[in-house]
Amino acid sequence: MPEQPLPFGPALRRIRLEAGLSIGQLSQRVHYSKAQLSKVERGLKTPSAELARLCDARLRADGELLSRLPERPAPAELPPAHHEQDGEEVWLMHLSTDGSSWFRPMDRRQMVAAGAAGAAAVMGLGAGTATAVPAEAGDSALKTARSLFDQYRRLGQTSGPEVVLPALIAQTHSLRKLSARTGPRSRSAMLRLASRYAEYVGWLVQETGNDEGALWWTDRAVELASAGGDDDLAAYALVRRALVTFYRDDSRQTVELAQQAQHDGLPPRIRGLAAQQEAQGHALAGDHSACMRKLEQARRLLESDRPGNAPVIGTSNLPDPVSMISGWCLHDLGRPHEAAAVLDEQLGQVPDHALRARARYGTRRALAYATAGEVDHACALARELLDDADALDSATIRTDLRRLARTLARHGSNSAVRDLSPALAASLGAGPPPAHR
């Protein structure tokens, strides 16, 4: 009979003893209590992925402990990309005086089926004969829309998605409609710019917590780009889909999707962003060497990029995005001290106006310090960023805030944790985080 691999608990005990560490010494290194580690070793408590990464890194187990984690249910597969619409769609957007809003795509046949009166009211905005737009007017409109895009991205760094999305959606729609009334040169340029608007809409929709809506907009971006002669955005759409799976803690899909966006015919920036996203997937899986290789490749590709006049794909607020992502990855690899040091250095270079970037990576920095056992400093950092996090209303930032709350809950007797807990719970829109057991 072949020998069966040890489950996580006994494997942890064997590797710990081989390293010459007592359970108390390991507890001090990973900042989990001796009681919890004892329960994990005896199979009385299921280890978290974070604990497995920390133990694997501290004991230099080269991924063995991560490989012995109990299998979780497979994450849901993403819906397939759908880049072609069945008939022209109508984009419905409702804005209320109380600040609430919603957006829903619907094709014209659905609109007609919903009621002729309602369809007439909505379609009435487009009634009349569309006249051709002179070349000068088209160029002026394109120049204005391009300038506005940079302003909207800047506004998106300081405001919640609900502030920016209505204007972005309206601009996307306007460019798409106006492109049908201009000459071939302006038409292609307008469609390509509309695709960048749609891609940014997709990112902000993900920030609201609506992954399906984010992917719908990403697909529309690909459709618009292709109509404008840009077939490369379809590859970047794979990177965007990989980002969705990354936030679902799905390392396999993250790596697979990112790998599909790295063939040689693509621009260096898209390949570099794809390599960077693949590195984050490897970090989730605990593969340090693969992660570092992809980060180095990402750096070479992004440094070779020569941006033109088109809007920058991906972040434009990080002076050194690869180093910042390296800090993020180091935490996921169970190396929080290294992560905190890198994030400290990189956050000092992010401009003050980039509140969304500062809050996102600042939250990860606070999490790294908390995981490293520097709880008082983690609480001080978190307190400084909660107001910005509340104003930005970001689902992805809240993901790390929840992780921070769970990590701090292991130190419930700490006075800084007790002082921070009400504000942190309010930011998460829930009661106080549960006490650690």
Side-chain angles (χ1 to χ4, degrees):
M1 295 282 295
E3 183 178 347
Q4 295 298 313
L6 287 174
F8 184 91
L12 173 60
R13 175 179 170 79
R14 174 181 59 78
I15 294 172
R16 173 178 63 78
L17 293 174
E18 289 174 353
L21 294 179
S22 69
I23 199 165
Q25 289 171 319
L26 181 60
S27 171
Q28 292 174 349
R29 295 189 180 195
V30 299
H31 304 288
Y32 275 74
S33 70
K34 290 192 294 183
Q36 181 164 6
L37 290 176
S38 176
K39 289 178 181 179
V40 168
E41 286 193 350
R42 290 181 289 149
L44 302 178
K45 188 173 182 65
T46 301
S48 65
E50 180 193 77
L51 175 59
R53 292 186 185 112
L54 287 168
C55 291
D56 202 279
R58 288 297 182 178
L59 296 171
R60 299 183 179 181
D62 296 326
E64 180 179 352
L65 289 173
L66 279 167
S67 70
R68 298 184 191 280
L69 273 175
E71 287 191 14
R72 297 184 302 170
E77 295 284 338
L78 296 183
H82 195 64
H83 298 159
E84 295 183 4
Q85 295 298 290
D86 297 326
E88 186 177 358
E89 75 268 19
V90 175
W91 299 356
L92 299 181
M93 185 165 56
H94 170 80
L95 305 177
S96 176
T97 55
D98 65 4
S100 63
S101 62
W102 50 258
F103 165 82
R104 181 170 64 246
M106 182 180 294
D107 68 37
R108 289 181 180 270
R109 287 175 294 181
Q110 289 177 307
M111 179 64 71
V112 172
V122 173
M123 295 180 191
L125 293 174
T129 303
T131 58
V133 175
E136 296 80 3
D139 290 343
S140 177
L142 181 63
K143 183 178 180 180
T144 300
R146 174 66 184 86
S147 176
L148 282 172
F149 183 81
D150 292 336
Q151 298 303 315
Y152 286 132
R153 285 191 69 160
R154 191 178 181 98
L155 181 60
Q157 280 290 319
T158 59
S159 306
E162 75 285 350
V163 174
V164 194
L165 279 172
L168 290 172
I169 292 171
Q171 284 288 337
T172 308
H173 177 72
S174 296
L175 284 167
R176 187 183 68 156
K177 300 299 286 186
L178 189 59
S179 70
R181 300 165 55 192
T182 61
R185 179 177 59 82
S186 293
R187 180 180 303 121
S188 295
M190 284 183 179
L191 288 169
R192 290 195 297 270
L193 181 56
S195 74
R196 298 301 192 268
Y197 268 95
E199 190 278 321
Y200 186 43
V201 170
W203 163 239
L204 287 179
V205 170
Q206 185 177 353
E207 287 284 79
T208 70
N210 182 354
D211 290 348
E212 288 71 22
L215 294 176
W216 188 91
W217 274 103
T218 301
D219 288 346
R220 300 292 69 71
V222 172
E223 178 189 358
L224 289 165
S226 179
D230 175 9
D231 294 324
D232 293 333
L233 199 64
Y236 183 64
L238 293 169
V239 182
R240 290 284 295 109
R241 294 172 78 85
L243 183 63
V244 171
T245 61
F246 172 74
Y247 273 104
R248 293 181 177 184
D249 287 331
D250 186 342
S251 59
R252 179 187 63 81
Q253 283 198 73
T254 299
V255 169
E256 290 177 358
L257 286 165
Q259 286 175 341
Q260 294 175 47
Q262 296 181 59
H263 60 77
D264 291 341
L266 290 168
R269 183 162 186 84
I270 291 177
R271 291 161 56 204
L273 293 172
Q276 186 173 272
Q277 190 62 65
E278 183 185 343
Q280 291 189 271
H282 289 306
L284 277 185
D287 191 335
H288 180 269
S289 60
C291 175
M292 294 299 114
R293 284 198 306 272
K294 296 310 293 188
L295 285 172
E296 183 56 36
Q297 180 183 352
R299 184 179 298 282
R300 291 196 303 270
L301 287 165
L302 293 177
E303 287 178 349
S304 69
D305 180 53
R306 297 293 180 267
N309 294 324
V312 174
I313 293 178
T315 182
S316 59
N317 292 292
L318 300 181
D320 185 354
V322 175
S323 290
M324 187 73 88
I325 294 299
S326 297
W328 189 295
C329 289
L330 285 167
H331 178 272
D332 285 342
L333 287 164
R335 300 169 184 238
H337 291 90
E338 297 174 49
V342 172
L343 293 171
D344 272 342
E345 179 184 359
Q346 292 303 311
L347 275 163
Q349 302 176 33
V350 178
D352 291 340
H353 69 80
L355 295 186
R356 188 175 295 274
R358 294 184 68 84
R360 166 165 290 104
Y361 295 99
T363 302
R364 173 63 48 147
R365 174 173 63 166
L367 176 60
Y369 273 109
T371 307
E374 298 188 37
V375 177
D376 289 348
H377 189 44
C379 289
L381 292 172
R383 188 173 292 281
E384 291 175 359
L385 59 81
L386 285 182
D387 286 344
D388 287 342
D390 291 345
L392 294 167
D393 193 22
S394 162
T396 54
I397 293 174
R398 280 195 295 272
T399 296
D400 268 351
L401 283 176
R402 282 191 290 270
R403 290 171 176 158
L404 177 62
R406 289 195 297 269
T407 301
L408 293 177
R410 301 203 305 268
H411 307 273
S413 61
N414 181 288
S415 60
V417 173
R418 292 198 303 270
D419 290 344
L420 178 67
S421 288
L424 182 54
S427 289
L428 292 172
H436 177 67
R437 286 186 175 85

